[in-house]
Amino acid sequence: MSDIIVKDSNGAQLNEGDSVTLIKDLKVKGTSETIKRGTLVKNIRLNGNAGEIECNTKQVKGLVLRTEFVKKA
């Protein structure tokens, strides 16, 4: 898993425990929640997929986000 490089929408490398900011309003599948643009998500986890990260927000726990919708904070 250490050989996979995860990058945000601007090309900055993401690491375990980084904080990211959403660049687009996202509807969460399976709920009626929408996470707004500009939301700060702290302490992300890498899941072995270069295009996805795992995180928790105040509204949704165990969320998987596509890296194309986040930028490093």
Side-chain angles (χ1 to χ4, degrees):
M1 190 163 102
S2 62
D3 58 343
I4 296 175
I5 298 174
V6 180
K7 295 187 177 185
D8 68 359
S9 61
N10 295 331
Q13 185 172 347
L14 297 173
N15 299 308
E16 253 339 281
D18 282 347
S19 295
V20 295
T21 305
L22 294 180
I23 61 170
K24 180 179 177 181
D25 288 353
L26 298 175
K27 292 183 180 180
V28 181
K29 287 185 179 179
T31 68
S32 60
E33 295 289 333
T34 300
I35 302 175
K36 299 292 183 184
R37 183 178 135 225
T39 301
L40 180 67
V41 180
K42 298 179 181 178
N43 199 20
I44 64 169
R45 295 176 303 281
L46 306 180
N47 63 1
N49 186 340
E52 296 178 347
I53 57 171
E54 295 178 2
C55 59
N56 292 327
T57 63
K58 291 180 183 178
Q59 300 93 346
V60 182
K61 305 296 181 208
L63 184 65
V64 176
L65 292 175
R66 302 273 311 157
T67 57
E68 62 195 69
F69 300 122
V70 298
K71 68 178 179 178
K72 193 169 186 175

